[in-house]
Amino acid sequence: MNNRRVVQTDGRAAVALAVLSGSQLLIVVDATIVNVALGPIRAGLGFTDAQLQWVITAYTLAFGGLLLVGGKVADRFGHRRMFLLGTAAFGVASLIGGAAGEQLVLVGARALQGVGAAMMAPAAMALVMDVFAPGRGRALAFGIWAGVTAGGTALGSVLGGVLTEAISWRWVLWINVPIVAVVVLLGLLVLPRSSGVRTSRIDVAGATTATGGLILLVYGLSRAADHGWTSGTLLALFGALALLVTLVFLQATRRASLVPVSLLRNRTVVAADIVGLILGVAIYALFFFVSLFLSTIQGKDPIYVGLAFVPMTVAIAVTARISGALADRTSPGRLSAAGALLVALGLLLLVRIEPASSYAATLLPGLVVAGLGLGLTFVPLTTAAMSSAGPTDSGIASALFNAAQQIGGALGLAVLTTISTAAAGTAAVATAESTTDGWSLALVIAAALTGVAGLLAVTLIRPGTHQADGR
């Protein structure tokens, strides 16, 4: 059963892409905008340092843990319906969170934001497939999507700093509400309807083990990055491993599985997800260590840190558009590999950081080269991960791709932070020089992993079979 309807007119398709890109902007901005406001939030609601982490963790756990379920539900009940419900939930949660007068209300609202994002993200990417036919148009759409994703990351820091300083921390949440209203209203008008796959039942056991496993995995990795590899961290990771192994067994033995076995047997889909996971390591490492360098070593304010990533954002937008134009004429594996190698080169250029390094001479070249690589990679990688999936599996395929990047980023950050901290020495003896040396080592490792991702891409990713379009 093919439930895909393609928007025919260029005008409707353009508006639909703006709507879907707007939802992606909400998710990406939210990942950074709240971080900037943590100090005022702590003062305003009386959080302790230990409690404050839950303002971030509640969102991360709900989003990462429910992605697979969100993708499956979107395929089951319709991409448009679940996209609009997820977006509305995100907006309601933002309204409640901004008005919160108690800690528990804010943490609960952040968790609800994560639930909405987990419904919204896979459905939005599947809707791009619904709206745009395969070929240049779809590739260019994914190129614009990549530019929005990159821009949102930098915008979150800048916007968070401006809103917090000029008005109140509450506006880092309330800013989402008018955007959600516009996205939902226009979405009702221009997004294609799809009935979903009514014959497909929800795999309750698979959904439970997947959600529990991913929540424990994200929690364990986040805890490792913040608190090290303590017994609590290891217990969470072992629990995640047990649940995810159970999930694999269930998927292999059940007829109505959460993740279709055919998807897991598709080499292109699996390879694109693995490469996406490794690139998640590189992206998180780059933003994390460069942000720390600028803020803690050089004492720059959040607005400066956000603006420092703008050239990288522009580079991503430029090459994402070029990559979209080349998609029909170049193997996605080769294009992804070329981009991954550029990202690796950008990371190696950043290895030169020292306490007195200037932005223009040391940081800017690495950020621009890495941005060029990310823009070149995102379009063919996303297309490979999505277009090789069947017409009824695009939501779960999108969820797998999103989850791979989330897990890669969390895992990479936990491991690389541990390595860099060990290399720098204990807090009592670490100097600015030893700290930056530790970060340089972490960036070298991230560059090496990204090179491996390039090799995997050129070896395993093949032109899509376009099963999703009936060919």
Side-chain angles (χ1 to χ4, degrees):
M1 175 181 176
N2 191 331
N3 67 334
R4 190 173 301 283
R5 294 178 58 188
V6 176
V7 174
Q8 298 295 329
T9 63
D10 290 341
R12 282 179 66 88
V15 177
L17 180 59
V19 168
L20 298 172
S21 297
S23 73
Q24 179 67 1
L25 185 65
L26 283 171
I27 293 172
V28 177
V29 166
D30 198 71
T32 55
I33 193 171
V34 176
N35 292 8
V36 178
L38 287 178
I41 288 173
R42 176 175 52 192
L45 297 183
F47 280 97
T48 65
D49 287 345
Q51 294 168 337
L52 191 64
Q53 66 167 324
W54 285 101
V55 176
I56 303 299
T57 304
Y59 174 83
T60 304
L61 293 182
F63 181 39
L66 292 170
L67 265 172
L68 290 183
V69 174
K72 186 65 175 181
V73 168
D75 288 336
R76 171 67 174 81
F77 295 105
H79 301 146
R80 176 179 181 266
R81 181 180 293 114
M82 299 316 298
F83 170 78
L84 293 174
L85 283 175
T87 306
F90 191 93
V92 170
S94 299
L95 185 63
I96 294 172
E102 297 182 4
Q103 298 171 9
L104 190 59
V105 174
L106 178 58
V107 171
R110 289 287 289 160
L112 182 57
Q113 276 188 310
V115 173
M119 296 166 60
M120 182 170 36
M125 193 172 284
L127 280 165
V128 174
M129 303 286 290
D130 293 345
V131 171
F132 292 92
R136 180 181 174 86
R138 181 180 291 174
L140 288 174
F142 277 132
I144 293 171
W145 184 278
V148 169
T149 301
T153 304
L155 178 62
S157 295
V158 177
L159 192 59
V162 171
L163 290 174
T164 301
E165 292 182 15
I167 312 177
S168 163
W169 67 263
R170 298 182 183 278
W171 278 96
V172 303
L173 295 168
W174 281 339
I175 191 66
N176 296 328
V177 177
I179 300 174
V180 165
V182 172
V183 167
V184 170
L185 178 61
L186 291 179
L188 287 169
L189 297 175
V190 302
L191 294 178
R193 295 178 181 272
S194 59
S195 59
V197 188
R198 294 291 180 182
T199 57
S200 173
R201 294 179 298 174
I202 298 294
D203 175 13
V204 176
T208 303
T209 52
T211 301
L214 288 174
I215 285 177
L216 283 175
L217 181 60
V218 173
Y219 174 72
L221 293 173
S222 300
R223 183 182 172 86
D226 293 333
H227 304 290
W229 301 91
T230 62
S231 58
T233 299
L234 294 176
L235 184 62
L237 294 177
F238 280 127
L241 179 62
L243 286 174
L244 293 175
V245 168
T246 303
L247 173 65
V248 172
F249 173 77
L250 291 174
Q251 301 312 288
T253 57
R254 287 175 169 256
R255 268 183 88 178
S257 57
L258 180 69
V259 182
V261 176
S262 60
L263 204 60
L264 297 177
R265 290 175 177 168
N266 188 312
R267 185 177 70 175
T268 295
V269 171
V270 173
D273 288 343
I274 293 173
V275 173
L277 184 147
I278 297 174
L279 285 175
V281 175
I283 295 167
Y284 274 61
L286 186 153
F287 275 101
F288 182 72
F289 291 119
V290 171
S291 296
L292 273 183
F293 172 74
L294 289 171
S295 60
T296 63
I297 301 298
Q298 298 199 330
K300 305 299 185 182
D301 60 47
I303 296 177
Y304 181 99
V305 174
L307 290 174
F309 288 102
V310 169
M312 179 180 174
T313 300
V314 173
I316 291 175
V318 169
T319 48
R321 186 166 182 82
I322 294 172
S323 181
L326 293 174
D328 281 344
R329 292 176 284 173
T330 308
S331 162
R334 292 177 180 175
L335 207 53
S336 297
L341 292 176
L342 277 176
V343 175
L345 177 59
L347 291 169
L348 290 175
L349 289 173
L350 291 170
V351 166
R352 303 172 299 150
I353 57 171
E354 296 176 351
S357 294
S358 74
Y359 173 79
T362 304
L363 296 182
L364 184 60
L367 291 174
V368 170
V369 172
L372 294 173
L374 288 171
L376 202 62
T377 303
F378 184 86
V379 176
L381 202 60
T382 306
T383 303
M386 296 290 295
S387 64
S388 293
T392 60
D393 297 330
S394 56
I396 193 68
S398 168
L400 281 171
F401 188 59
N402 273 284
Q405 294 176 78
Q406 291 286 321
I407 292 168
L411 175 62
L413 210 52
V415 174
L416 294 177
T417 299
T418 301
I419 292 172
S420 66
T421 301
T426 63
V429 299
T431 63
E433 289 78 8
S434 66
T435 299
T436 54
D437 287 344
W439 295 341
S440 293
L441 175 61
L443 290 170
V444 167
I445 296 171
L449 290 173
T450 307
V452 172
L455 181 62
L456 291 175
V458 77
T459 304
L460 299 177
I461 295 178
R462 295 287 180 264
T465 57
H466 298 296
Q467 293 169 329
D469 304 286
R471 292 189 285 178

